[in-house]
Amino acid sequence: MIRGIQKTLYLILAFFIGLFIASSFFIRAKYNYFVYGDTPILERQQLGLFILVIAVVLALSVILYKMCLKLNKYSWKIVIPATLLFSFAIQMVIIFLFPRLPTDDSQTVLSLALDMLYRNDYSSFDTNGYLHMFPFNFSIVLYLKTLLLIFPDNYLVIKIFNILFTLLTSLMIYMLYKELNYKSKDKDYGILVFAATYIPSLFMSNFIYNDVIATAFLTSALYFAIRFIKRRSIKDVLFAALLLAIGNYFRSIGVIFLITVVAGLLFNIRSIGVKKVFSALVITAILFNVPGWTQNAVLQATNVVDEPMNENSAPVYMWLNMGINLETFGFWDNRESYAIYQQDANYNKAESTELFKEEISNKLSEAGLSDLVKMYYKKIVWTWTEGTYQMERYGLGNDGSSSNGGRMGFVMDRYSYTNAATDLFKADSNYRSGMLWLLYVLNFLMYVFILVRLMGGIRAKRFEETSLILVVLGFIGFYLLWEIKSRYIYPVYPLLIVLSYMGFKDVYDYMLKRYFPR
């Protein structure tokens, strides 16, 4: 029965990956803030250019893989520190070459942290305040406040810590891969190099928000959960539960990882033992909400808030309502949903919930079935094939003083200073467009190799990657309903790297044995 469930999960993900691959030959998902504003774009694929870039990226991938194979003769004590140090150096260069200033929510949470640190101002928890509406963002505010209290008050400190979390994620990708692919005779440093030089993650260290931090903790939690299933040490499940709780504290999508951990334990209950599975479930359940409960208790005890933080916050129905939009297929709805909560319901959670339910019902009844199918198709294809996690805006940034065809009104990004690098990538330059093409095609090829790995697993009845697949499916299902940004699926990039590298290695080894047996 369990094998049947695992095979079904593999088949479901294979269907979605196949959909992404097939759609990419006809539709190009784009996000370019300078050109289009904060809007998802689906346009007709430039098939000739698409195939050309595929050939180039594929050739480079093979060359780099063969170069990484030469590292097998060196000890991990040399290769791992050297690779992570190299990644650190690249990211330091990036944050100096592209000194992006915070904007939008990034600027808001940083301003709130400074207000609390220097003026002891917690008024944002009051009605009409940012944290009254979005209390889940207090975690990143508290984190920034703590950093700025201990270290010098500047952007560089925050970005350096982002880099450290990115390095942790890269290391966890390698360790997760080795845990799953333990039969490999190679040291497989290639996946470490891939993770440490993955362009979206390098640039997202420039983004002052919770994405990078949550990704590091959640990836680490999944690693220790899988390690527990194989080694059955309570120490591992304690680490997994603690890291999962912290990751969820920064981004509430940790519940998807929680479901995966629980499912993984239940799938392996016979090999682990009922008592140990029960203990692991209890530990995970108890620790999961501890950060949120502690935060709420402290804020009420110190009279910062006089009711539970979530009592009148924006309801989940607000994001579900945003997720149903025929024009932008679930992307930002230009504050329409905000207005329902803020103005129509006067920041009242219960009242706004009923209004959102009514609005959702009206949208579904007014839209035809074909319209809804098209919307959800566009929604899922854009989210998963855009390929850059909106790095162009959140990591690379743009010089707000540049102008291109009257698009100035869209540009809110700024740099601390400009230089030759910012000039090369300003506006919609060929360098910026080229990078977006590179990342788009790289993402496409990752899906191709993931599909290879999935189909190979089904044929060989090998289902060791079920936990990774469950997380990816969880994100697919969640963001099919929720408001979308391709940045929101950033926490799954480590799992996509692991699966795609496995598929690439399978293809490389097969081709080597068949055509170059010597």
Side-chain angles (χ1 to χ4, degrees):
M1 180 181 175
I2 291 175
R3 287 283 182 178
I5 295 172
Q6 291 174 320
K7 182 178 179 180
T8 301
L9 293 172
Y10 269 63
L11 286 169
I12 294 172
L13 183 57
F15 166 77
F16 282 111
I17 297 297
L19 178 67
F20 303 154
I21 293 170
S23 299
S24 297
F25 283 98
F26 304 96
I27 300 172
R28 163 82 191 276
K30 293 178 69 175
Y31 182 88
N32 189 321
Y33 185 67
F34 186 90
V35 177
Y36 305 107
D38 198 18
T39 306
I41 299 297
L42 287 172
E43 63 180 27
R44 187 175 179 179
Q45 184 62 273
Q46 297 172 261
L47 195 56
L49 181 58
F50 181 50
I51 293 172
L52 175 62
V53 180
I54 287 174
V56 171
V57 174
L58 197 54
L60 289 174
S61 299
V62 172
I63 293 169
L64 291 173
Y65 180 76
K66 292 179 73 173
M67 291 172 62
C68 290
L69 288 177
K70 296 180 179 180
L71 297 174
N72 280 333
K73 59 185 177 182
Y74 298 105
S75 167
W76 65 267
K77 295 179 182 179
I78 297 173
V79 176
I80 292 178
T83 303
L84 295 181
L85 184 61
F86 178 64
S87 180
F88 180 85
I90 294 174
Q91 292 176 75
M92 286 297 294
V93 170
I94 286 173
I95 64 176
F96 278 109
L97 288 181
F98 303 97
R100 187 188 188 281
L101 292 172
T103 55
D104 303 333
D105 285 326
S106 176
Q107 177 60 52
T108 301
V109 295
L110 184 57
S111 297
L112 293 177
L114 293 170
D115 287 341
M116 293 177 188
L117 178 61
Y118 294 116
R119 290 177 284 280
N120 200 32
D121 181 3
Y122 290 82
S123 60
S124 59
F125 283 107
D126 297 342
T127 303
N128 304 342
Y130 180 83
L131 292 179
H132 175 89
M133 187 172 182
F134 307 118
F136 53 80
N137 266 345
F138 182 57
S139 56
I140 186 64
V141 173
L142 183 61
Y143 164 77
L144 293 173
K145 176 189 172 186
T146 305
L147 276 191
L148 299 176
L149 174 65
I150 300 173
F151 300 97
D153 177 2
N154 60 55
Y155 300 131
L156 185 60
V157 168
I158 303 170
K159 292 180 180 182
I160 288 175
F161 271 85
N162 272 353
I163 293 174
L164 296 178
F165 280 114
T166 299
L167 296 180
L168 174 61
T169 302
S170 298
L171 179 62
M172 285 297 110
I173 289 171
Y174 178 69
M175 295 177 70
L176 183 59
Y177 172 87
K178 293 298 289 182
E179 195 69 32
L180 291 169
N181 205 29
Y182 58 91
K183 294 180 182 179
S184 175
K185 296 178 182 179
D186 294 326
K187 294 181 180 178
D188 294 307
Y189 293 134
I191 190 171
L192 177 65
V193 173
F194 183 21
T197 58
Y198 187 57
I199 295 175
S201 67
L202 297 179
F203 277 89
M204 288 298 271
S205 292
N206 228 352
F207 184 44
I208 298 175
Y209 206 50
N210 55 20
D211 301 68
V212 173
I213 306 168
T215 300
F217 281 112
L218 294 173
T219 305
S220 302
L222 189 60
Y223 163 74
F224 279 104
I226 292 173
R227 183 183 166 99
F228 169 74
I229 290 171
K230 291 194 171 184
R231 309 189 186 190
R232 302 161 204 166
S233 169
I234 291 297
K235 180 176 67 175
D236 288 330
V237 85
L238 278 169
F239 279 126
L242 181 61
L243 292 165
L244 181 60
I246 297 172
N248 183 70
Y249 180 58
F250 281 102
R251 274 202 66 183
S252 300
I253 43 84
V255 70
I256 297 175
F257 286 80
L258 173 65
I259 293 170
T260 297
V261 170
V262 171
L265 292 171
L266 296 178
F267 284 158
N268 294 275
I269 192 168
R270 287 186 179 180
S271 59
I272 299 173
V274 175
K275 289 184 179 179
K276 281 200 171 181
V277 167
F278 179 75
S279 300
L281 290 173
V282 170
I283 291 169
T284 304
I286 290 174
L287 289 179
F288 188 71
N289 286 311
V290 165
W293 291 338
T294 304
Q295 170 185 282
N296 204 46
V298 171
L299 289 174
Q300 286 188 275
T302 54
N303 296 317
V304 173
V305 296
D306 53 10
E307 62 182 16
M309 291 176 62
N310 293 319
E311 186 72 22
N312 275 300
S313 62
V316 295
Y317 290 96
M318 184 178 80
W319 288 277
L320 292 173
N321 184 56
M322 286 187 207
I324 304 173
N325 189 315
L326 298 182
E327 292 182 8
T328 61
F329 36 93
F331 201 82
W332 172 244
D333 63 2
N334 200 26
R335 302 190 67 86
E336 289 179 16
S337 294
Y338 278 25
I340 293 174
Y341 170 74
Q342 294 173 327
Q343 299 170 20
D344 299 345
N346 195 27
Y347 293 86
N348 183 286
K349 186 173 187 175
E351 187 177 339
S352 66
T353 296
E354 296 306 314
L355 292 175
F356 282 124
K357 287 181 179 178
E358 183 180 347
E359 183 71 11
I360 291 170
S361 178
N362 291 337
K363 285 181 177 180
L364 292 175
S365 60
E366 291 172 4
L369 179 60
S370 63
D371 291 331
L372 290 173
V373 170
K374 288 178 184 177
M375 183 200 74
Y376 284 115
Y377 170 72
K378 291 178 180 179
K379 185 175 184 178
I380 195 170
V381 167
W382 183 85
T383 303
W384 290 88
T385 66
E386 190 271 331
T388 74
Y389 307 98
Q390 295 171 270
M391 177 217 78
E392 179 268 342
R393 181 183 184 197
Y394 296 106
L396 179 60
N398 215 324
D399 176 16
S401 64
S402 58
S403 179
N404 184 17
R407 295 290 182 178
M408 182 59 192
F410 288 124
V411 179
M412 298 189 298
D413 296 338
R414 294 289 189 276
Y415 292 128
S416 298
Y417 52 84
T418 57
N419 53 47
T422 58
D423 289 341
L424 284 177
F425 284 85
K426 71 178 180 180
D428 190 34
S429 71
N430 290 333
Y431 289 93
R432 182 179 292 260
S433 298
M435 179 178 285
L436 297 183
W437 260 110
L438 172 67
L439 297 181
Y440 173 76
V441 169
L442 177 60
N443 187 68
F444 168 82
L445 287 173
M446 287 172 68
Y447 287 143
V448 170
F449 293 118
I450 288 173
L451 185 60
V452 169
R453 184 66 180 182
L454 293 174
M455 300 312 295
I458 293 169
R459 290 181 64 184
K461 297 182 180 179
R462 180 196 64 235
F463 304 112
E464 285 88 353
E465 298 95 42
T466 300
S467 294
L468 278 63
I469 287 162
L470 263 174
V471 173
V472 177
L473 284 175
F475 271 77
I476 289 174
F478 184 77
Y479 286 109
L480 192 61
L481 301 175
W482 205 253
E483 178 227 358
I484 59 163
K485 281 186 173 69
S486 59
R487 177 176 66 82
Y488 290 167
I489 64 169
Y490 184 78
V492 300
Y493 93 82
L495 313 188
L496 299 181
I497 285 180
V498 172
L499 291 170
S500 63
Y501 189 86
M502 287 178 171
F504 180 88
K505 183 177 171 64
D506 290 344
V507 172
Y508 184 88
D509 290 345
Y510 172 79
M511 298 293 285
L512 200 65
K513 289 176 182 177
R514 180 161 185 174
Y515 297 107
F516 306 98
R518 293 185 181 180

